[in-house]
Amino acid sequence: MAHNHEHHDHCEACSHHEHEHEHHHEHNTREQLTLIIITAVMLVAAVVVEHTLALPTWQLLLVYLIPYIIIGHDTLKEAAEGLIEGDPFNEHFLMSIATIGALCIGFLPGAETQFPEAVFVMLFFQVGELFEGYAEGKSRDSIAHLMEIKPDSATLELRDEKGELREKTVSPEEVKVGDTIIIKPGEKVPLDGVVTEGQSALNTVALTGESMPRDVNVDDEVISGCVNLSGVIRVRVTKPFGESTVSKIIKLVENAGEHKSQSETFITRFARVYTPVVVFAAIALAVVPTLLGGALSTWLYRALMFLVVSCPCALVISVPLTFFGGIGGASRRGVLIKGANYIDVLAKVKTVVFDKTGTLTHGQFAVTAVHPDSCDEHHLLHLAAHVEHFSTHPIGAALRDAFPDEATDGCKISDVREVAGQGIMARVGDKEVAVGNTKLMDATGAKWHDCQHLGTIIHVAIDGVYAGHIVINDQVKPDSAEAIAALRELGVERTVMLTGDRREVAENVANALGLTEYHAELLPADKVAQVEKLSTVNCQLSTPLAFVGDGINDAPVLARADVGIAMGGLGSDAAIEAADVVLMDDKPSKIALAIRIARRTIAIARQNVAFAIGIKLAVLLLAALGMATMWMAVFADVGVTVIAVLNAMRALRA
């Protein structure tokens, strides 16, 4: 309990810290906007003073220094801190040098004053920072919607000293496995568990992006993060809060920013080299022509413009913001991408390998045909369901589901015997019934016959006489064919299915869905070998491979693929742990959505890089030739940054 209490305090502290951070950010934005407005008014006033009063240069400098210091004090402070810490080459340093230089130019012989330009550069730089803060806030909001799924409290059901039931509101961290919690309409499901009483509909939109409610009844599993819509339900808790679905998702999203994409890593490395090169190039531009007889004021002005233009803000800010926005936009649609590096890989995928059961099919057996010989369909199902009454096998569950009245029709079942590898025999009323495969039929002397239907054939014999057979099969998901077609439209060249099922079943599913190839009757190790073989081919073509599984028994293959995509992360711990991308619902069509989001995010990042570098190079060339003005330099830096940031925000719309 001490540990739980400590964890609870930590969570409360984190929540309090997040709230303080949001409040601090809002306060800073308001303060920044106020300073921008005051500076703009004072700059206009200073320009009016300059043109109406013939003040000496040093007095004019004092007039412009007031708005300059009001708007630029933070930038100057950051630049000074960078110098003290031995890391001077940042945008604050470039802006400070450029603007201080512009303020000093007016004191050189024969040079015009550049005081308004100096203040305007600093003012526009702050406008850029304001836009950057707004865009980052929007991106964080897109991720923060997932944080809203975190429950604040749980209603615990307890017995008091008199043995009477009572309710107590506690923190979710205080609830133990096995406790019963009550969830009322409108409340969030605080912990994972199983419904023991009541029925309701759950809103899963925060987790899956799907608005259709999910109905739950007694014995159904519920997971934390959903919202209870209608009835009161009692739930027996199956996992502590720290291991619940909601906790794992929040950790996953919080850590997504740690995995940088290739583009982000390149931009960071590029900025480290690029900024000092630019500073030394600017010094050379000021010094070399002056030594060759050029006017110091002219070449110093050009060098300062060179510094302003070359500031890498647009790249350093907009590229990470684009990837952050892409991850946030995807999460709103129920696609959790664990890091920006997986966006890079997803965008290039040309081969998608699927596990069959639980991914392309439901992974739940159902009766698809009943073929009686010596009785009617109803009676055949009735007997088979009774014999399988105590079976935990999925086939037994499918037979019981097909005849739901089995538990209440009063038939007496006795002498139940399981024959290993063959089936089950039991006495139903006064009849000896055998339900199983052909080996069991041979053992009982029943003359069975085969079936042309695909699936698992369950034969039934009554008192040694063949009564007929039942066909059980796994059901293909409704949108599996749509998913394969969508991937083909996106240019995915190979869609491969791996399964441990029989070859004829695999062939039927592959043909129905239009898959490129399939491999059947595989053991888990064989699946890894197949993925390795396909990966070798893909490596030669320099295209990554994605593996899609349900995350329960596919962890080795998910880890081996270039990008592992887990289906149905809703409630599957293994999916959230093993995969790089988690689809929160059970829809294969979300795979194509994830690839589209990744490609769009990469496209926006590339647009920003091309636009920023193109404009900067053009203005740098004009500056070196003396054809640019400080206003053009300001646009090439801050203007380009604002446009790139606004473009980056498009990544939020998945």
Side-chain angles (χ1 to χ4, degrees), residues 616-645:
K616 282 178 184 293
L617 286 176
V619 179
L620 280 174
L621 185 63
L622 291 173
L625 297 172
M627 297 166 68
T629 64
M630 188 62 84
W631 306 101
M632 288 171 69
V634 169
F635 172 75
D637 174 45
V638 185
V640 166
T641 301
V642 170
I643 292 167
V645 163

Side-chain angles (χ1 to χ4, degrees), residues 526-575:
D526 300 330
K527 289 184 183 180
V528 176
Q530 282 291 345
V531 166
E532 283 180 348
K533 195 189 294 182
L534 290 163
S535 289
T536 306
V537 175
N538 279 37
C539 278
Q540 292 163 359
L541 300 169
S542 297
T543 56
L545 172 145
F547 177 81
V548 189
D550 58 7
I552 295 161
N553 55 1
D554 295 315
V557 205
L558 284 166
R560 175 62 189 85
D562 296 308
V563 59
I565 304 173
M567 292 288 304
L570 205 62
S572 169
D573 293 344

Side-chain angles (χ1 to χ4, degrees), residues 387 414-415 417 425-434 444 461-465:
V387 171
S414 59
D415 196 19
R417 312 180 300 285
M425 297 179 73
R427 185 162 284 282
V428 182
D430 59 352
K431 296 181 187 299
E432 180 74 20
V433 183
T444 57
I462 305 170
D463 293 330
V465 178

Side-chain angles (χ1 to χ4, degrees), residues 62-78:
L62 293 176
V63 170
Y64 280 103
L65 264 179
I66 298 167
Y68 176 81
I69 290 168
I70 287 172
I71 199 67
H73 66 278
D74 271 344
T75 305
L76 295 168
K77 185 181 158 194
E78 292 275 354

Side-chain angles (χ1 to χ4, degrees), residues 2 26 33 55 130 174 259 282 310-311 314 325 365 375 458 464 515 519 527-528 533 553 565 595 615 640:
E26 283 176 22
L33 191 58
L55 294 175
L130 187 71
E174 291 177 42
H259 304 282
S310 57
C311 186
F365 287 103
C375 61
I458 307 298
L515 295 162
H519 302 274
K527 289 184 183 180
V528 176
K533 195 189 294 182
N553 55 1
I565 304 173
I595 293 174
I615 296 290
V640 166

Side-chain angles (χ1 to χ4, degrees), residues 508-526:
N508 183 50
V509 173
N511 291 341
L513 299 180
L515 295 162
T516 314
E517 60 187 91
Y518 68 91
H519 302 274
E521 297 173 14
L522 302 174
L523 296 170
D526 300 330

